[in-house]
Amino acid sequence: MSVRHETNSDSTSRDAPPPGVFSRLAEGNYHARLAVSSGVAVVLFSAPHCGACRAWKQLLPQALAGMAAHFHEVDVSEATGVARYFGIFHLPTIYLYRSGRFHAELQCEARPGTIRAVAAHLLAAPAQDEP
């Protein structure tokens, strides 16, 4: 007989979300949360009205499985200061972080194989300057 343990996670939980699940980054915690992340983190800048953002949100965990340890989303309609700080004008915008530091902006066709190949190429190259 096996016992199944279920856990409840919400925005106040200290536990990391399951792989492939996006956690929200907001004005007050953007830099702090990324600074303590290990491995590769993906940050998707999006907005509720952005259809392409929803598509990318579905594709990224699948395309970067085993490559990215953390997936985060920033709603630019709420986190306007963060969007201004980075000069976000086009959605979706996707940033890759490594060990808490900005590494590169991911720009490519929205296909899992292409996303994975471009991300691997970017992560193999030296880090870019933070926008």
Side-chain angles (χ1 to χ4, degrees):
M1 181 168 158
S2 66
V3 177
R4 184 175 168 180
H5 297 279
E6 292 187 28
T7 59
N8 292 329
S9 293
D10 60 18
S11 62
T12 61
S13 174
R14 292 179 186 249
D15 297 328
V21 174
F22 284 79
S23 66
R24 301 284 281 207
L25 294 178
E27 298 284 347
N29 69 3
Y30 183 91
H31 288 97
R33 293 237 341 248
L34 286 169
V36 298
S37 65
S38 60
V40 174
V42 176
V43 177
L44 170 67
F45 290 87
S46 67
H49 65 275
C50 175
C53 300
R54 288 190 295 275
W56 275 90
K57 190 173 178 179
Q58 295 293 318
L59 287 171
L60 285 166
Q62 169 192 350
L64 300 178
M67 185 181 290
H70 311 279
F71 294 89
H72 302 285
E73 182 178 18
V74 177
D75 180 345
V76 299
S77 67
E78 294 175 2
T80 56
V82 174
R84 250 190 328 273
Y85 176 83
F86 287 109
I88 304 295
F89 293 105
H90 301 286
L91 297 177
T93 295
I94 301 150
Y95 288 167
L96 301 175
Y97 281 75
R98 175 179 270 152
S99 300
R101 299 181 60 94
F102 178 83
H103 193 82
E105 181 176 353
L106 177 67
Q107 295 181 348
C108 64
E109 185 178 3
R111 298 176 138 208
T114 304
I115 295 167
R116 188 168 187 82
V118 171
H121 175 76
L122 290 168
L123 291 167
Q128 299 171 2
D129 291 333
E130 187 175 65

